Amino acid sequence: MELNSLSQRIGESSYFQGKLADLKDNKKPLFSGLIGAARSAVIAALRQIKPNLLIVTFSSQETEKISREVELFSGQPVAIFPALDVL
C-alpha cells in the first residue's frame, strides 16, 4: 500500500469523518490515542481537507520528525516556522 493511499483511507474512515464534522461545527476535535507515525498519518489526512494547518510541537526535533513524516505520507512539502528563541 502506498503511503498516500494510507492517508486517503484514514480520511475515509468513520472516525475521521466524525472529527471533520466537529471541525465544521466549530468544535475542537480531540485526536487521542495516536502514537508514533500515526499522528503524522492523521495530520497528512487532515491536510488533504484543510491544507493550512498549524501544528505546535514541544521541541525542534519533534518538529523535524513530524514534518518529515507528514511529507512522506502526503507527498507535499511542509513549511516550518523557526522556534521563538531563534527569532
Side-chain angles (χ1 to χ4, degrees):
M1 176 186 311
E2 289 184 21
L3 295 177
N4 285 346
S5 68
L6 176 63
S7 64
Q8 288 174 343
R9 286 182 186 254
I10 291 169
E12 294 168 356
S13 72
S14 59
Y15 173 81
F16 190 81
Q17 290 299 315
K19 299 299 184 181
L20 285 180
D22 287 347
L23 276 174
K24 289 177 184 174
D25 292 339
N26 290 322
K27 297 178 184 172
K28 296 178 183 176
L30 176 64
F31 292 89
S32 62
L34 301 173
I35 58 172
R39 292 178 298 181
S40 301
V42 168
I43 292 168
L46 186 58
R47 191 172 185 211
Q48 291 177 352
I49 309 301
K50 296 214 171 255
N52 298 317
L53 297 173
L54 175 65
I55 309 298
V56 179
T57 63
F58 62 88
S59 71
S60 296
Q61 292 84 8
E62 186 71 5
T63 301
E64 291 293 329
K65 178 180 173 245
I66 289 175
S67 67
R68 282 193 308 270
E69 291 173 351
V70 170
E71 285 178 347
L72 182 67
F73 286 121
S74 70
Q76 300 174 355
V78 172
I80 298 175
F81 289 100
L84 288 178
D85 59 343
V86 175
L87 295 177

